[in-house]
Amino acid sequence: MNSLPFENRIWDPAETIKPEERQIIQLELLKKVVERVYNTVPFYKTSFDNLKVKPEDINSLDDLRKLPFTVKENLRQNYPLGLVAVPKDGLARIHGSSGTTGKPVLVAYTHKDLETWANLCARFLVAGGLRKEHFVQISFGYGLFTGGFGLHYGVEKVGATIIPAASGNTARQILLIQDLKPDVLICTPSYALNIAEQAKQTGIEPKDLSLKYGHFGGEMWTEDMRKEIEEQLGIKAFNNYGLSEVIGPGVSGECYLQNGMHIQEDHFILECLNPSTLEPVKEGEYGELVFTSLTKEAFPIIRYRTRDLAYIDDSPCPCGRTTKRMSRVKGRSDDMLIIRGVNVFPSQIEEAILQVSGIAPHYLIEVTRPGVLDEIFVKVEIQPGYISDKMSEMQSLRDRVLRKINEITGLHVNVELLPPNTLERSTGKACRVIDHRKIS
Ligand code: DLL
Protein backbone atom coordinates (compact mmCIF):
# COMPACT_ATOMS: atom_id res chain seq x y z
CA MET A 1 0.00 0.00 0.00
CA ASN A 2 1.24 3.49 -0.81
CA SER A 3 2.44 5.50 2.17
CA LEU A 4 -0.46 7.39 3.67
CA PRO A 5 -0.64 11.07 4.42
CA PHE A 6 -2.86 10.64 7.48
CA GLU A 7 -2.64 12.91 10.39
CA ASN A 8 -5.67 13.33 12.52
CA ARG A 9 -7.12 16.63 11.41
CA ILE A 10 -10.62 17.84 12.10
CA TRP A 11 -12.29 20.17 9.63
CA ASP A 12 -15.02 21.64 11.77
CA PRO A 13 -14.89 22.13 15.56
CA ALA A 14 -18.60 21.20 15.65
CA GLU A 15 -17.51 17.59 15.04
CA THR A 16 -15.94 17.37 18.49
CA ILE A 17 -18.39 19.09 20.82
CA LYS A 18 -19.81 17.14 23.75
CA PRO A 19 -22.80 14.99 22.72
CA GLU A 20 -24.95 16.65 25.43
CA GLU A 21 -24.23 20.06 23.90
CA ARG A 22 -25.06 18.74 20.47
CA GLN A 23 -28.39 17.48 21.74
CA ILE A 24 -29.31 20.94 22.99
CA ILE A 25 -28.51 22.35 19.55
CA GLN A 26 -30.48 19.55 17.89
CA LEU A 27 -33.59 20.31 19.92
CA GLU A 28 -33.47 24.03 19.15
CA LEU A 29 -33.06 23.34 15.45
CA LEU A 30 -35.71 20.63 15.45
CA LYS A 31 -38.31 22.98 16.94
CA LYS A 32 -37.47 25.58 14.31
CA VAL A 33 -37.60 23.24 11.34
CA VAL A 34 -40.87 21.68 12.46
CA GLU A 35 -42.47 25.08 12.81
CA ARG A 36 -41.11 26.16 9.44
CA VAL A 37 -42.30 23.12 7.46
CA TYR A 38 -45.71 23.32 9.11
CA ASN A 39 -46.12 26.91 8.03
CA THR A 40 -44.57 26.75 4.58
CA VAL A 41 -45.11 23.29 3.07
CA PRO A 42 -48.77 22.27 2.63
CA PHE A 43 -47.80 18.57 2.51
CA TYR A 44 -46.32 18.74 6.02
CA LYS A 45 -49.22 20.78 7.39
CA THR A 46 -51.65 18.13 6.17
CA SER A 47 -49.61 15.20 7.41
CA PHE A 48 -49.09 16.82 10.84
CA ASP A 49 -52.79 17.69 11.04
CA ASN A 50 -53.73 14.12 10.15
CA LEU A 51 -51.80 12.94 13.21
CA LYS A 52 -53.12 15.85 15.29
CA VAL A 53 -49.64 17.03 16.06
CA LYS A 54 -48.67 20.70 16.19
CA PRO A 55 -45.20 22.30 16.16
CA GLU A 56 -45.63 23.29 19.82
CA ASP A 57 -45.89 19.58 20.76
CA ILE A 58 -42.17 19.20 20.10
CA ASN A 59 -40.46 19.90 23.39
CA SER A 60 -37.84 17.18 23.57
CA LEU A 61 -35.85 15.10 21.11
CA ASP A 62 -38.06 12.13 21.97
CA ASP A 63 -41.05 14.12 20.74
CA LEU A 64 -39.67 13.61 17.24
CA ARG A 65 -41.47 10.29 17.37
CA LYS A 66 -44.81 12.06 17.39
CA LEU A 67 -44.15 13.35 13.88
CA PRO A 68 -45.31 11.66 10.68
CA PHE A 69 -42.90 9.84 8.37
CA THR A 70 -42.04 10.99 4.88
CA VAL A 71 -41.52 8.40 2.13
CA LYS A 72 -40.31 8.53 -1.45
CA GLU A 73 -43.87 8.29 -2.72
CA ASN A 74 -44.66 11.62 -1.00
CA LEU A 75 -41.87 13.23 -2.99
CA ARG A 76 -43.19 11.68 -6.19
CA GLN A 77 -46.71 12.90 -5.48
CA ASN A 78 -45.35 16.39 -4.97
CA TYR A 79 -43.22 16.37 -8.12
CA PRO A 80 -41.47 18.50 -9.18
CA LEU A 81 -40.89 20.89 -6.25
CA GLY A 82 -43.98 20.66 -4.05
CA LEU A 83 -42.01 20.12 -0.84
CA VAL A 84 -39.80 23.15 -1.25
CA ALA A 85 -40.00 25.51 1.74
CA VAL A 86 -38.66 28.74 0.23
CA PRO A 87 -39.88 30.98 -2.61
CA LYS A 88 -38.62 30.05 -6.06
CA ASP A 89 -36.27 33.02 -6.27
CA GLY A 90 -34.50 31.77 -3.15
CA LEU A 91 -33.35 28.58 -4.89
CA ALA A 92 -29.82 28.06 -6.15
CA ARG A 93 -29.74 24.49 -7.49
CA ILE A 94 -31.84 21.40 -8.21
CA HIS A 95 -30.59 17.82 -7.98
CA GLY A 96 -32.32 14.50 -8.23
CA SER A 97 -32.15 10.92 -7.10
CA SER A 98 -30.73 8.25 -9.26
CA GLY A 99 -33.79 6.30 -10.37
CA THR A 100 -33.36 5.33 -13.99
CA THR A 101 -37.00 5.01 -14.98
CA GLY A 102 -39.85 7.47 -14.82
CA LYS A 103 -39.65 10.92 -13.35
CA PRO A 104 -36.69 11.60 -11.08
CA VAL A 105 -37.27 12.64 -7.49
CA LEU A 106 -36.11 16.25 -7.35
CA VAL A 107 -34.59 18.12 -4.44
CA ALA A 108 -33.60 21.77 -4.10
CA TYR A 109 -30.93 23.86 -2.41
CA THR A 110 -30.52 27.51 -1.44
CA HIS A 111 -27.07 29.12 -1.53
CA LYS A 112 -26.78 28.50 2.19
CA ASP A 113 -27.71 24.82 1.70
CA LEU A 114 -24.93 24.50 -0.89
CA GLU A 115 -22.53 26.02 1.60
CA THR A 116 -23.68 23.60 4.32
CA TRP A 117 -23.36 20.67 1.92
CA ALA A 118 -19.83 21.58 0.86
CA ASN A 119 -18.86 21.87 4.51
CA LEU A 120 -20.32 18.44 5.32
CA CYS A 121 -18.42 16.83 2.46
CA ALA A 122 -15.26 18.66 3.55
CA ARG A 123 -15.67 17.10 7.00
CA PHE A 124 -15.43 13.51 5.84
CA LEU A 125 -12.84 14.29 3.17
CA VAL A 126 -10.55 15.78 5.80
CA ALA A 127 -11.40 12.92 8.17
CA GLY A 128 -9.88 10.62 5.52
CA GLY A 129 -6.77 12.77 5.17
CA LEU A 130 -7.50 15.35 2.46
CA ARG A 131 -5.10 18.27 2.35
CA LYS A 132 -4.81 21.34 0.14
CA GLU A 133 -1.86 19.93 -1.76
CA HIS A 134 -3.72 16.81 -2.89
CA PHE A 135 -5.00 16.18 -6.39
CA VAL A 136 -8.43 14.58 -6.40
CA GLN A 137 -10.00 12.81 -9.36
CA ILE A 138 -13.79 12.88 -9.15
CA SER A 139 -15.21 10.11 -11.29
CA PHE A 140 -18.84 10.47 -10.26
CA GLY A 141 -21.46 11.63 -12.74
CA TYR A 142 -21.91 15.42 -12.76
CA GLY A 143 -25.56 16.19 -13.31
CA LEU A 144 -28.76 15.69 -11.40
CA PHE A 145 -26.98 12.96 -9.41
CA THR A 146 -25.61 14.49 -6.21
CA GLY A 147 -22.30 12.59 -6.29
CA GLY A 148 -20.30 14.71 -8.73
CA PHE A 149 -21.24 18.25 -7.68
CA GLY A 150 -21.55 17.36 -3.99
CA LEU A 151 -18.01 16.04 -3.68
CA HIS A 152 -16.70 18.68 -6.07
CA TYR A 153 -17.57 21.58 -3.80
CA GLY A 154 -16.44 19.66 -0.73
CA VAL A 155 -12.99 19.16 -2.22
CA GLU A 156 -12.92 22.77 -3.38
CA LYS A 157 -13.75 23.96 0.13
CA VAL A 158 -10.70 22.16 1.48
CA GLY A 159 -8.66 23.80 -1.26
CA ALA A 160 -7.33 20.68 -2.97
CA THR A 161 -7.04 20.43 -6.76
CA ILE A 162 -9.94 18.81 -8.56
CA ILE A 163 -9.82 16.74 -11.71
CA PRO A 164 -13.54 16.64 -12.60
CA ALA A 165 -13.20 13.57 -14.79
CA ALA A 166 -16.91 12.65 -14.28
CA SER A 167 -17.97 9.04 -14.85
CA GLY A 168 -17.35 6.97 -17.96
CA ASN A 169 -14.61 6.87 -20.59
CA THR A 170 -12.49 4.65 -18.39
CA ALA A 171 -9.48 4.74 -20.71
CA ARG A 172 -9.34 8.50 -20.27
CA GLN A 173 -9.75 8.17 -16.50
CA ILE A 174 -6.66 5.98 -16.46
CA LEU A 175 -4.76 8.37 -18.70
CA LEU A 176 -5.58 11.26 -16.37
CA ILE A 177 -4.46 9.25 -13.37
CA GLN A 178 -1.19 8.38 -15.10
CA ASP A 179 -0.46 11.90 -16.23
CA LEU A 180 -1.84 14.09 -13.45
CA LYS A 181 -0.97 11.63 -10.66
CA PRO A 182 -3.92 12.30 -8.33
CA ASP A 183 -3.65 11.18 -4.70
CA VAL A 184 -7.37 10.59 -4.28
CA LEU A 185 -10.07 8.84 -6.31
CA ILE A 186 -13.75 9.55 -5.71
CA CYS A 187 -16.44 7.38 -7.33
CA THR A 188 -18.68 4.39 -6.66
CA PRO A 189 -16.88 1.31 -5.33
CA SER A 190 -17.85 -0.70 -8.40
CA TYR A 191 -16.38 1.94 -10.69
CA ALA A 192 -13.13 1.94 -8.71
CA LEU A 193 -12.78 -1.77 -9.42
CA ASN A 194 -13.70 -1.22 -13.03
CA ILE A 195 -10.90 1.34 -13.37
CA ALA A 196 -8.41 -1.06 -11.73
CA GLU A 197 -9.47 -3.88 -13.99
CA GLN A 198 -9.23 -1.85 -17.18
CA ALA A 199 -5.81 -0.56 -16.15
CA LYS A 200 -4.59 -4.15 -15.75
CA GLN A 201 -5.98 -5.09 -19.14
CA THR A 202 -3.93 -2.37 -20.76
CA GLY A 203 -0.76 -3.54 -19.04
CA ILE A 204 -0.78 -0.94 -16.26
CA GLU A 205 -0.37 -2.18 -12.71
CA PRO A 206 -3.02 -0.21 -10.76
CA LYS A 207 -0.98 -0.46 -7.56
CA ASP A 208 1.82 1.49 -9.23
CA LEU A 209 -0.46 4.40 -10.00
CA SER A 210 -0.25 7.52 -7.85
CA LEU A 211 -3.50 6.97 -5.92
CA LYS A 212 -3.17 6.83 -2.14
CA TYR A 213 -6.74 6.65 -1.02
CA GLY A 214 -10.31 6.92 -2.21
CA HIS A 215 -13.73 7.91 -0.93
CA PHE A 216 -16.37 5.57 -2.26
CA GLY A 217 -20.12 5.61 -1.86
CA GLY A 218 -23.44 5.87 -3.62
CA GLU A 219 -24.10 2.13 -3.57
CA MET A 220 -23.99 -0.85 -1.27
CA TRP A 221 -20.61 -2.54 -0.86
CA THR A 222 -19.19 -5.06 1.57
CA GLU A 223 -16.05 -5.21 3.69
CA ASP A 224 -14.69 -7.84 1.29
CA MET A 225 -15.22 -5.43 -1.57
CA ARG A 226 -13.24 -2.85 0.39
CA LYS A 227 -10.34 -5.33 0.72
CA GLU A 228 -10.51 -6.06 -2.97
CA ILE A 229 -10.35 -2.35 -3.90
CA GLU A 230 -7.56 -1.70 -1.42
CA GLU A 231 -5.52 -4.60 -2.75
CA GLN A 232 -6.08 -3.95 -6.41
CA LEU A 233 -5.42 -0.22 -6.31
CA GLY A 234 -2.97 -0.25 -3.42
CA ILE A 235 -4.96 2.41 -1.58
CA LYS A 236 -7.05 2.96 1.52
CA ALA A 237 -10.75 2.88 0.65
CA PHE A 238 -13.16 4.95 2.74
CA ASN A 239 -16.91 4.63 2.81
CA ASN A 240 -19.26 7.60 2.67
CA TYR A 241 -23.02 7.63 2.65
CA GLY A 242 -25.81 9.95 1.71
CA LEU A 243 -28.97 10.33 -0.29
CA SER A 244 -30.44 13.12 -2.35
CA GLU A 245 -33.55 13.46 -0.22
CA VAL A 246 -31.42 14.21 2.83
CA ILE A 247 -28.72 16.34 1.11
CA GLY A 248 -26.60 13.99 -1.05
CA PRO A 249 -23.15 12.71 -0.02
CA GLY A 250 -22.03 14.17 3.31
CA VAL A 251 -24.69 12.64 5.54
CA SER A 252 -22.03 10.39 7.06
CA GLY A 253 -18.50 9.30 6.25
CA GLU A 254 -15.61 7.36 7.66
CA CYS A 255 -12.55 8.84 9.30
CA TYR A 256 -9.10 7.37 8.67
CA LEU A 257 -9.81 4.64 11.25
CA GLN A 258 -12.42 3.08 8.94
CA ASN A 259 -14.60 2.00 11.83
CA GLY A 260 -18.04 3.22 10.85
CA MET A 261 -19.32 6.41 9.28
CA HIS A 262 -19.53 9.52 11.48
CA ILE A 263 -23.05 10.89 11.26
CA GLN A 264 -23.34 14.68 10.88
CA GLU A 265 -25.69 14.87 13.82
CA ASP A 266 -25.70 18.64 14.11
CA HIS A 267 -27.42 18.69 10.71
CA PHE A 268 -29.48 15.50 10.73
CA ILE A 269 -31.16 13.47 13.42
CA LEU A 270 -30.90 9.78 12.67
CA GLU A 271 -33.35 7.22 13.99
CA CYS A 272 -32.77 3.52 13.44
CA LEU A 273 -36.14 1.75 13.44
CA ASN A 274 -37.49 -1.72 13.04
CA PRO A 275 -39.00 -1.45 9.54
CA SER A 276 -42.06 -3.49 10.50
CA THR A 277 -42.95 -2.02 13.88
CA LEU A 278 -41.31 1.38 13.32
CA GLU A 279 -40.09 1.21 16.91
CA PRO A 280 -36.44 2.05 17.64
CA VAL A 281 -34.09 -0.93 17.57
CA LYS A 282 -31.48 -1.38 20.31
CA GLU A 283 -28.10 0.23 19.71
CA GLY A 284 -26.00 -2.09 17.55
CA GLU A 285 -29.04 -3.79 15.98
CA TYR A 286 -29.81 -3.40 12.30
CA GLY A 287 -32.75 -1.19 11.47
CA GLU A 288 -34.04 1.19 8.84
CA LEU A 289 -32.39 4.60 8.82
CA VAL A 290 -34.81 7.49 9.18
CA PHE A 291 -33.47 11.04 8.83
CA THR A 292 -34.76 14.45 9.83
CA SER A 293 -32.86 17.43 8.49
CA LEU A 294 -32.19 20.24 10.93
CA THR A 295 -30.54 22.98 8.92
CA LYS A 296 -31.66 22.67 5.32
CA GLU A 297 -33.55 25.69 4.04
CA ALA A 298 -34.95 24.76 0.63
CA PHE A 299 -35.80 21.14 1.18
CA PRO A 300 -36.18 20.31 4.85
CA ILE A 301 -37.24 16.72 5.38
CA ILE A 302 -38.99 15.18 8.36
CA ARG A 303 -38.48 11.54 9.36
CA TYR A 304 -37.52 10.37 5.88
CA ARG A 305 -37.66 6.59 5.61
CA THR A 306 -34.59 5.66 3.58
CA ARG A 307 -35.23 1.87 3.42
CA ASP A 308 -31.46 1.53 4.04
CA LEU A 309 -30.58 -0.99 6.72
CA ALA A 310 -27.64 -0.33 9.02
CA TYR A 311 -26.92 -0.03 12.73
CA ILE A 312 -25.78 2.81 14.96
CA ASP A 313 -22.61 2.68 17.02
CA ASP A 314 -22.43 5.08 19.94
CA SER A 315 -19.01 4.01 21.19
CA PRO A 316 -16.32 6.70 21.25
CA CYS A 317 -14.04 6.91 18.23
CA PRO A 318 -10.34 7.48 18.95
CA CYS A 319 -10.25 10.13 16.19
CA GLY A 320 -11.90 12.56 18.61
CA ARG A 321 -15.11 13.15 16.70
CA THR A 322 -17.96 12.84 19.15
CA THR A 323 -20.74 11.93 16.75
CA LYS A 324 -22.39 8.55 16.63
CA ARG A 325 -21.37 6.37 13.73
CA MET A 326 -23.40 4.19 11.39
CA SER A 327 -22.35 0.83 10.05
CA ARG A 328 -22.08 0.19 6.36
CA VAL A 329 -25.48 -0.34 4.76
CA LYS A 330 -26.14 -4.05 4.49
CA GLY A 331 -28.96 -3.61 2.02
CA ARG A 332 -32.26 -1.89 1.51
CA SER A 333 -35.48 -3.28 2.90
CA ASP A 334 -36.82 -3.14 -0.65
CA ASP A 335 -33.72 -4.94 -2.06
CA MET A 336 -34.19 -7.84 0.26
CA LEU A 337 -34.96 -10.90 -1.80
CA ILE A 338 -37.34 -13.42 -0.39
CA ILE A 339 -36.36 -16.70 -1.94
CA ARG A 340 -38.57 -19.63 -1.01
CA GLY A 341 -39.32 -17.82 2.22
CA VAL A 342 -35.68 -17.12 3.06
CA ASN A 343 -34.64 -13.47 3.36
CA VAL A 344 -31.42 -12.73 1.57
CA PHE A 345 -29.60 -9.53 0.78
CA PRO A 346 -27.43 -9.09 -2.30
CA SER A 347 -24.65 -8.03 0.09
CA GLN A 348 -24.60 -11.53 1.61
CA ILE A 349 -24.04 -13.02 -1.80
CA GLU A 350 -21.29 -10.50 -2.49
CA GLU A 351 -19.69 -11.40 0.82
CA ALA A 352 -19.81 -15.10 -0.06
CA ILE A 353 -18.39 -14.94 -3.56
CA LEU A 354 -15.58 -12.60 -2.59
CA GLN A 355 -14.40 -15.17 -0.08
CA VAL A 356 -13.77 -17.76 -2.78
CA SER A 357 -10.35 -17.40 -4.33
CA GLY A 358 -10.47 -17.53 -8.09
CA ILE A 359 -13.70 -15.58 -8.28
CA ALA A 360 -13.65 -11.99 -9.49
CA PRO A 361 -15.70 -9.27 -7.77
CA HIS A 362 -18.18 -9.09 -10.63
CA TYR A 363 -21.53 -10.76 -10.24
CA LEU A 364 -25.18 -10.61 -11.19
CA ILE A 365 -28.05 -12.16 -9.28
CA GLU A 366 -31.10 -13.21 -11.27
CA VAL A 367 -34.28 -14.38 -9.62
CA THR A 368 -37.01 -16.23 -11.47
CA ARG A 369 -40.07 -18.29 -10.63
CA PRO A 370 -40.37 -20.84 -13.41
CA GLY A 371 -43.12 -22.82 -11.67
CA VAL A 372 -44.26 -22.35 -8.12
CA LEU A 373 -40.80 -22.12 -6.62
CA ASP A 374 -38.30 -19.28 -6.76
CA GLU A 375 -34.98 -19.94 -8.40
CA ILE A 376 -31.91 -17.86 -7.89
CA PHE A 377 -29.05 -17.76 -10.36
CA VAL A 378 -25.79 -16.22 -9.36
CA LYS A 379 -23.59 -15.40 -12.30
CA VAL A 380 -19.99 -14.80 -11.29
CA GLU A 381 -16.85 -14.16 -13.24
CA ILE A 382 -13.72 -16.24 -12.85
CA GLN A 383 -10.48 -14.35 -12.29
CA PRO A 384 -8.34 -14.37 -15.41
CA GLY A 385 -5.57 -16.54 -13.90
CA TYR A 386 -8.01 -19.18 -12.66
CA ILE A 387 -9.61 -20.20 -15.93
CA SER A 388 -8.86 -23.84 -16.63
CA ASP A 389 -9.58 -26.33 -19.43
CA LYS A 390 -10.16 -29.02 -16.85
CA MET A 391 -13.84 -29.56 -16.21
CA SER A 392 -13.08 -30.94 -12.75
CA GLU A 393 -11.29 -27.77 -11.67
CA MET A 394 -14.11 -25.56 -12.85
CA GLN A 395 -16.61 -27.87 -11.18
CA SER A 396 -14.77 -27.63 -7.91
CA LEU A 397 -14.57 -23.83 -8.14
CA ARG A 398 -18.30 -23.73 -8.75
CA ASP A 399 -18.91 -26.04 -5.78
CA ARG A 400 -16.89 -23.77 -3.53
CA VAL A 401 -19.04 -20.80 -4.56
CA LEU A 402 -22.21 -22.82 -3.98
CA ARG A 403 -21.07 -23.94 -0.56
CA LYS A 404 -20.01 -20.46 0.53
CA ILE A 405 -23.32 -18.93 -0.55
CA ASN A 406 -25.15 -21.72 1.25
CA GLU A 407 -23.05 -21.20 4.39
CA ILE A 408 -23.81 -17.47 4.48
CA THR A 409 -27.42 -17.37 3.26
CA GLY A 410 -28.73 -20.88 3.94
CA LEU A 411 -29.86 -21.06 0.33
CA HIS A 412 -29.16 -23.53 -2.44
CA VAL A 413 -28.60 -21.43 -5.49
CA ASN A 414 -27.59 -22.05 -9.08
CA VAL A 415 -24.16 -20.75 -9.87
CA GLU A 416 -22.92 -20.01 -13.33
CA LEU A 417 -19.22 -19.34 -13.79
CA LEU A 418 -18.50 -16.87 -16.53
CA PRO A 419 -15.25 -16.09 -18.31
CA PRO A 420 -13.53 -12.86 -17.27
CA ASN A 421 -15.09 -9.68 -18.61
CA THR A 422 -18.48 -11.03 -19.54
CA LEU A 423 -20.73 -9.05 -17.25
CA GLU A 424 -21.48 -5.46 -18.04
CA ARG A 425 -19.33 -3.01 -16.07
CA SER A 426 -20.83 0.08 -14.51
CA THR A 427 -19.40 3.55 -14.45
CA GLY A 428 -21.78 4.64 -11.70
CA LYS A 429 -24.05 2.56 -9.52
CA ALA A 430 -23.76 -1.11 -10.46
CA CYS A 431 -26.88 -3.16 -11.18
CA ARG A 432 -26.45 -6.39 -9.19
CA VAL A 433 -29.93 -7.89 -9.18
CA ILE A 434 -32.52 -8.66 -11.82
CA ASP A 435 -35.70 -9.94 -10.31
CA HIS A 436 -37.68 -11.43 -13.18
CA ARG A 437 -40.57 -12.12 -10.79
CA LYS A 438 -41.15 -8.37 -10.54
CA ILE A 439 -40.68 -7.71 -14.24
CA SER A 440 -43.08 -10.33 -15.62
O1 DLL B 1 -26.10 8.13 -3.97
C1 DLL B 1 -25.64 10.13 -2.74
C2 DLL B 1 -24.20 9.78 -2.69
C3 DLL B 1 -23.40 10.07 -3.77
C4 DLL B 1 -23.66 9.18 -1.57
C5 DLL B 1 -22.06 9.76 -3.70
C6 DLL B 1 -22.32 8.88 -1.49
C7 DLL B 1 -21.52 9.19 -2.57
P1 DLL B 1 -28.99 8.83 -4.30
O2 DLL B 1 -28.68 8.74 -5.74
O3 DLL B 1 -30.22 9.56 -3.88
O4 DLL B 1 -27.83 9.57 -3.54
O5 DLL B 1 -29.00 7.37 -3.72
C8 DLL B 1 -29.12 7.18 -2.34
O6 DLL B 1 -27.79 5.16 -2.42
O7 DLL B 1 -30.41 5.49 -0.03
C9 DLL B 1 -28.43 4.11 -0.42
O8 DLL B 1 -29.34 3.08 -0.73
C10 DLL B 1 -27.35 4.18 -1.49
N1 DLL B 1 -26.06 4.57 -0.91
C11 DLL B 1 -25.47 5.77 -0.93
N2 DLL B 1 -24.27 5.70 -0.31
C12 DLL B 1 -24.11 4.43 0.12
C13 DLL B 1 -23.10 3.73 0.83
C14 DLL B 1 -26.51 9.17 -3.48
N3 DLL B 1 -21.96 4.29 1.21
C15 DLL B 1 -29.05 5.71 -2.01
N4 DLL B 1 -23.33 2.43 1.12
C16 DLL B 1 -29.09 5.47 -0.52
C17 DLL B 1 -24.46 1.81 0.75
C18 DLL B 1 -25.27 3.72 -0.24
N5 DLL B 1 -25.44 2.41 0.06
Side-chain angles (χ1 to χ4, degrees):
M1 194 168 296
N2 295 325
S3 64
L4 296 168
F6 301 116
E7 52 182 291
N8 188 15
R9 285 200 311 134
I10 299 212
W11 174 253
D12 187 338
E15 295 173 80
T16 56
I17 62 173
K18 289 201 185 93
E20 308 83 75
E21 279 172 40
R22 192 177 287 119
Q23 282 172 8
I24 296 169
I25 298 171
Q26 281 183 323
L27 179 58
E28 279 318 299
L29 293 170
L30 178 65
K31 285 183 183 169
K32 276 195 196 138
V33 72
V34 166
E35 166 128 32
R36 205 157 68 81
V37 296
Y38 188 79
N39 292 319
T40 53
V41 184
F43 161 78
Y44 283 115
K45 176 161 190 331
T46 311
S47 62
F48 283 29
D49 286 348
N50 287 344
L51 285 187
K52 299 196 175 19
V53 50
K54 291 259 180 278
E56 40 294 8
D57 297 332
I58 305 301
N59 294 307
S60 71
L61 288 176
D62 284 342
D63 287 339
L64 177 64
R65 297 192 51 212
K66 295 180 181 164
L67 297 174
F69 291 103
T70 309
V71 294
K72 202 172 210 115
E73 195 48 32
N74 301 137
L75 273 69
R76 291 225 167 86
Q77 283 157 354
N78 288 282
Y79 178 87
L81 296 174
L83 298 190
V84 166
V86 297
K88 211 171 162 192
D89 64 358
L91 294 180
R93 196 165 340 133
I94 308 295
H95 275 286
S97 75
S98 47
T100 44
T101 52
K103 288 180 183 168
V105 163
L106 298 179
V107 296
Y109 304 75
T110 62
H111 281 288
K112 183 161 171 260
D113 291 332
L114 293 176
E115 186 59 27
T116 305
W117 189 17
N119 188 46
L120 293 181
C121 288
R123 284 186 185 181
F124 77 76
L125 289 164
V126 167
L130 187 66
R131 294 197 307 232
K132 262 172 82 83
E133 59 270 32
H134 287 162
F135 270 38
V136 183
Q137 182 147 328
I138 301 184
S139 307
F140 269 134
Y142 279 67
L144 277 185
F145 177 52
T146 51
F149 282 104
L151 268 305
H152 183 99
Y153 289 103
V155 175
E156 194 171 89
K157 194 143 241 328
V158 181
T161 303
I162 302 169
I163 307 164
S167 64
N169 197 343
T170 311
R172 197 181 54 185
Q173 303 275 354
I174 297 165
L175 182 83
L176 291 171
I177 298 176
Q178 281 186 298
D179 294 343
L180 291 170
K181 306 200 182 339
D183 310 87
V184 190
L185 177 65
I186 291 182
C187 56
T188 55
S190 57
Y191 195 40
L193 271 185
N194 189 348
I195 292 175
E197 183 185 52
Q198 203 159 314
K200 270 193 195 143
Q201 281 161 8
T202 42
I204 299 159
E205 174 48 56
K207 275 196 194 104
D208 296 341
L209 293 168
S210 56
L211 297 171
K212 296 192 180 72
Y213 63 103
H215 286 277
F216 306 112
E219 65 182 1
M220 195 279 306
W221 54 314
T222 56
E223 208 48 45
D224 294 289
M225 184 66 92
R226 178 188 338 245
K227 275 188 223 131
E228 194 72 39
I229 294 174
E230 293 195 331
E231 267 168 41
Q232 292 206 21
L233 282 160
I235 61 173
K236 243 184 184 234
F238 298 112
N239 195 2
N240 72 92
Y241 167 89
L243 60 164
S244 334
E245 294 86 342
V246 175
I247 201 161
V251 175
S252 67
E254 280 182 332
C255 66
Y256 66 105
L257 294 166
Q258 298 178 306
N259 59 0
M261 295 183 276
H262 288 274
I263 305 157
Q264 313 287 8
E265 290 179 286
D266 47 343
H267 292 267
F268 313 105
I269 299 185
L270 173 56
E271 299 170 85
C272 188
L273 306 182
N274 176 320
S276 315
T277 63
L278 297 174
E279 290 296 319
V281 297
K282 291 200 200 85
E283 193 204 316
E285 252 174 46
Y286 276 100
E288 179 179 333
L289 305 178
V290 173
F291 286 97
T292 298
S293 72
L294 294 173
T295 52
K296 279 202 308 171
E297 293 184 332
F299 197 84
I301 196 137
I302 304 292
R303 303 195 86 195
Y304 184 67
R305 290 191 58 183
T306 63
R307 311 282 165 185
D308 292 326
L309 301 169
Y311 64 83
I312 297 182
D313 179 359
D314 199 5
S315 65
C317 180
C319 77
R321 287 173 187 79
T322 50
T323 50
K324 291 179 188 161
R325 282 162 289 148
M326 58 177 260
S327 69
R328 64 174 59 250
V329 173
K330 90 163 174 193
R332 293 173 52 84
S333 53
D334 47 6
D335 271 0
M336 187 178 78
L337 298 163
I338 306 182
I339 309 291
R340 289 173 246 133
V342 178
N343 296 348
V344 44
F345 287 100
S347 60
Q348 293 175 291
I349 297 190
E350 177 175 308
E351 187 189 333
I353 62 168
L354 289 187
Q355 286 178 21
V356 179
S357 60
I359 294 297
H362 303 289
Y363 64 96
L364 180 69
I365 302 164
E366 288 197 58
V367 189
T368 59
R369 187 177 292 154
V372 282
L373 285 184
D374 301 317
E375 295 265 0
I376 178 162
F377 289 85
V378 181
K379 298 182 170 173
V380 286
E381 283 185 17
I382 307 173
Q383 269 177 17
Y386 278 80
I387 278 270
S388 159
D389 291 342
K390 289 202 191 119
M391 279 286 280
S392 59
E393 282 178 14
M394 290 296 92
Q395 188 62 44
S396 116
L397 182 58
R398 191 172 156 271
D399 288 347
R400 272 181 282 144
V401 179
L402 281 174
R403 273 203 303 277
K404 202 58 176 175
I405 294 179
N406 179 257
E407 201 179 296
I408 292 183
T409 66
L411 276 175
H412 292 284
V413 305
N414 304 292
V415 169
E416 191 182 338
L417 298 182
L418 301 172
N421 258 312
T422 357
L423 291 170
E424 200 179 312
R425 299 293 188 261
S426 92
T427 57
K429 301 191 186 215
C431 166
R432 306 287 198 192
V433 182
I434 302 178
D435 193 339
H436 295 281
R437 298 171 306 179
K438 286 187 186 158
I439 299 166
S440 50

